[in-house]
């Protein structure tokens, strides 16, 4: 608790640092609007699997902006990444938490955003089937009705997993369903199997599904990444406020990366309606720091480049889009330095292996 209080005071001082760094002359927004690419759960609505959920539950953003009289609004989207892109396009939100594929699709469609930091790396993908199903492997999916939430960051991973086992998306009877609809369909035998994330552990533990494939512990190329974006025009007009948001997310990332907080972290994420046991299963034998690092390292950049290439190949975007200038680690670097965290996280190379030496936010 003492360490949290010290960190809180340190972060609170960052507002002055940010104003000095950005000149303090920009117009400040009266409302900060954060869009989250999930329907979420709980009261108030929140989500898990990301340090952003810690920010939400603890109201750290609200506290950071209280003295400025700035209101913070959180908007949750059942339509996930594609719905968040629409909100960005309509300037209904200023910041967006979403997965890699919809972020790339948004950029390819002309959305002007900046990627500020990672907030939930190496998310696993699972394939589930009804408990009495004869399906036992990916290969068994041929000609089967399978739920895939298209346009989300699990979509491409599912396609790549299929390819690694000799199947293409056309070899299955794909059904586009969001997480809640997929669960209802599987339980009622409306589909033979479903791809998804940690939300399936609750269904499994209720005896209504079985996991027949998992990316956990396999090649990190078969994982999903989520990050925090900001609209370019908002960033240009409100740099000090962007810095303050990043400061808070980095604070949450550090707290969420500390193994001493594992139990408390899962209890916070449990407030989203996803049971504690599901988080324990999702993060089993995995370091919190690797999953909750905010660094834009070579692994993250390589994964985004792969998403661009795969999306173009599958015609999810019309052509490959350049990532030059999209990653903006300036705010992250400022936060790491101000909070004394420049050496806290390990950076990973393009293959997902640790890089020797202190971690730094990649300057891309």
């Amino acid at each position: 608790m003492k360490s949290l209080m010290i960190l809180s005071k340190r972060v609170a001082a960052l507002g002055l640092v940010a104003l000095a760094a950005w000149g303090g002359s920009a117009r400040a927004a009266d409302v900060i609007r954060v869009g989250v690419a999930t329907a979420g759960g709980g009261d108030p609505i929140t989500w898990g699997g990301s340090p952003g959920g810690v920010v939400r539950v603890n109201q750290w953003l609200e506290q950071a902006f209280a003295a400025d009289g700035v209101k913070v609004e959180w908007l949750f989207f059942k339509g996930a990444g594609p719905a968040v892109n629409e909100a960005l396009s309509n300037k209904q939100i200023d910041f967006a938490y979403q997965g890699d594929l919809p972020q790339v699709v948004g950029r390819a469609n002309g959305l002007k955003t900046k990627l500020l930091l990672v907030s939930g790396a190496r998310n696993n993908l699972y394939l589930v089937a009804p408990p009495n199903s004869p399906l036992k492997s990916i290969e068994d999916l041929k000609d089967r009705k399978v739920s895939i939430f298209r346009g989300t960051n699990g979509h491409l991973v599912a396609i790549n997993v299929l390819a690694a086992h000799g199947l293409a998306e056309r070899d299955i009877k794909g059904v586009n369903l969001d997480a809640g609809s997929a669960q209802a369909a599987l339980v009622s035998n409306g589909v033979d199997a479903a791809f998804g994330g940690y939300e399936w552990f609750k269904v499994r533990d209720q005896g209504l599904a079985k996991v027949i494939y998992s990316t956990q512990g396999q090649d990190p190329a078969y994982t999903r990444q989520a990050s925090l974006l900001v609209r370019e025009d908002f960033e240009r007009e409100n740099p000090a406020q962007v810095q303050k948001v990043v400061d808070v997310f980095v604070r949450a990332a550090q707290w969420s990366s500390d193994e001493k907080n594992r139990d408390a972290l899962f209890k916070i994420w449990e407030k989203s309606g996803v049971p504690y046991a599901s988080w324990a299963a999702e993060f089993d034998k995995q370091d919190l720091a690797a999953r909750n690092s905010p660094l834009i390292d070579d692994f993250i950049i390589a994964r985004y480049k792969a998403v661009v290439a795969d999306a173009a190949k599958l015609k999810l975007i019309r052509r490959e889009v350049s990532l030059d200038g999209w990653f903006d680690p300036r705010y992250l670097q400022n936060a790491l330095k101000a909070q004394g965290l420049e050496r806290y996280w390990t950076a990973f190379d393009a293959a997902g292996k640790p890089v020797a030496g202190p971690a730094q936010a990649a300057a891309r």
Side-chain angles (χ1 to χ4, degrees), residues 146-159:
V146 182
S147 169
I148 297 180
F149 195 174
R150 293 194 174 97
T152 66
N153 66 348
H155 185 188
L156 280 186
V157 177
I159 291 173

Side-chain angles (χ1 to χ4, degrees), residues 344-356:
Y344 187 84
W345 286 282
T346 298
F348 294 88
D349 65 18
K353 299 183 182 301
V355 176

Side-chain angles (χ1 to χ4, degrees), residues 266-297:
F266 295 166
K267 287 180 178 177
I268 286 177
W269 287 346
E270 187 176 31
K271 295 180 184 294
S272 68
V274 177
Y276 181 105
S278 297
W279 298 118
E282 166 69 10
F283 284 76
D284 184 40
K285 300 177 182 177
Q286 296 173 78
D287 293 335
L288 292 180
R291 295 288 304 271
N292 294 319
S293 168
L295 299 185
I296 304 170
D297 57 18

Side-chain angles (χ1 to χ4, degrees), residues 53-349:
V54 175
V55 173
R56 166 63 167 162
V57 169
N58 289 333
Q59 296 190 324
W60 284 350
L61 268 188
E62 289 82 351
Q63 294 167 19
F65 284 100
D68 303 329
V70 175
K71 182 180 179 181
V72 177
E73 294 182 352
W74 296 84
L75 296 92
F76 292 81
F77 294 84
K78 182 181 179 182
V84 168
N85 281 344
E86 184 176 351
L88 282 170
S89 178
N90 294 328
K91 296 188 177 183
Q92 296 170 323
I93 56 177
D94 309 306
F95 294 86
Y97 168 84
Q98 62 183 162
D100 45 30
L101 176 58
Q103 288 173 336
V104 165
V105 171
R107 183 169 178 82
N109 289 335
L111 287 183
K112 302 298 184 182
T113 59
K114 294 282 189 178
L115 196 151
L116 298 170
L117 54 82
V118 177
S119 190
R122 302 187 181 217
N123 294 285
N124 299 304
L125 187 76
Y126 307 95
L127 176 69
V128 299
N132 297 322
S133 170
L135 301 182
K136 296 180 180 179
S137 67
I138 297 291
E139 289 82 359
D140 294 337
L141 293 182
K142 186 173 176 59
D143 297 325
R144 296 285 189 164
K145 188 181 293 186
V146 182
S147 169
I148 297 180
F149 195 174
R150 293 194 174 97
T152 66
N153 66 348
H155 185 188
L156 280 186
V157 177
I159 291 173
N160 288 332
V161 166
L162 288 171
H165 292 81
L167 296 176
E169 190 173 9
R170 64 177 177 273
D171 293 321
I172 65 172
K173 297 175 181 177
V175 182
N176 184 25
L177 297 173
D178 62 39
S181 299
Q183 291 177 12
L186 188 88
V187 171
S188 64
N189 293 310
V191 294
D192 299 307
F195 283 104
Y198 51 75
E199 69 274 4
W200 284 105
F201 285 120
K202 179 179 180 179
V203 184
R204 179 201 66 179
D205 293 345
Q206 292 172 336
L208 299 174
K210 64 179 180 180
V211 176
I212 60 177
Y213 174 84
S214 168
T215 62
Q216 194 174 100
Q218 299 194 45
D219 187 337
Y222 294 133
T223 60
R224 305 172 288 157
Q225 325 308 319
S227 305
L228 183 70
L229 300 179
V230 64
R231 284 191 294 108
E232 271 191 11
D233 53 356
F234 183 91
E235 182 272 329
R236 185 171 54 252
E237 296 171 2
N238 306 283
Q241 290 183 319
V242 173
Q243 185 65 64
K244 186 171 290 190
V245 170
V246 171
D247 293 340
V248 172
F249 268 77
V250 169
R251 172 191 174 192
Q254 188 279 325
W255 188 89
S256 302
S257 295
D258 190 335
E259 289 294 339
K260 296 194 300 294
N261 297 327
R262 181 175 285 255
D263 178 67
L265 177 64
F266 295 166
K267 287 180 178 177
I268 286 177
W269 287 346
E270 187 176 31
K271 295 180 184 294
S272 68
V274 177
Y276 181 105
S278 297
W279 298 118
E282 166 69 10
F283 284 76
D284 184 40
K285 300 177 182 177
Q286 296 173 78
D287 293 335
L288 292 180
R291 295 288 304 271
N292 294 319
S293 168
L295 299 185
I296 304 170
D297 57 18
D298 287 340
F299 171 72
I300 293 299
I301 293 169
R303 292 317 313 144
Y304 272 88
K305 287 182 177 179
V307 168
V308 169
D310 288 344
K313 180 174 63 178
L314 295 167
K315 302 188 185 314
L316 299 177
I317 57 178
R318 294 180 181 178
R319 59 185 180 278
E320 290 195 23
V321 60
S322 173
L323 300 184
D324 293 343
W326 191 30
F327 301 104
D328 189 351
R330 295 174 300 155
Y331 298 93
L332 174 57
Q333 289 169 340
N334 289 341
L336 294 174
K337 183 176 181 179
Q339 297 180 44
L341 298 173
E342 291 174 293
R343 297 174 180 267
Y344 187 84
W345 286 282
T346 298
F348 294 88
D349 65 18

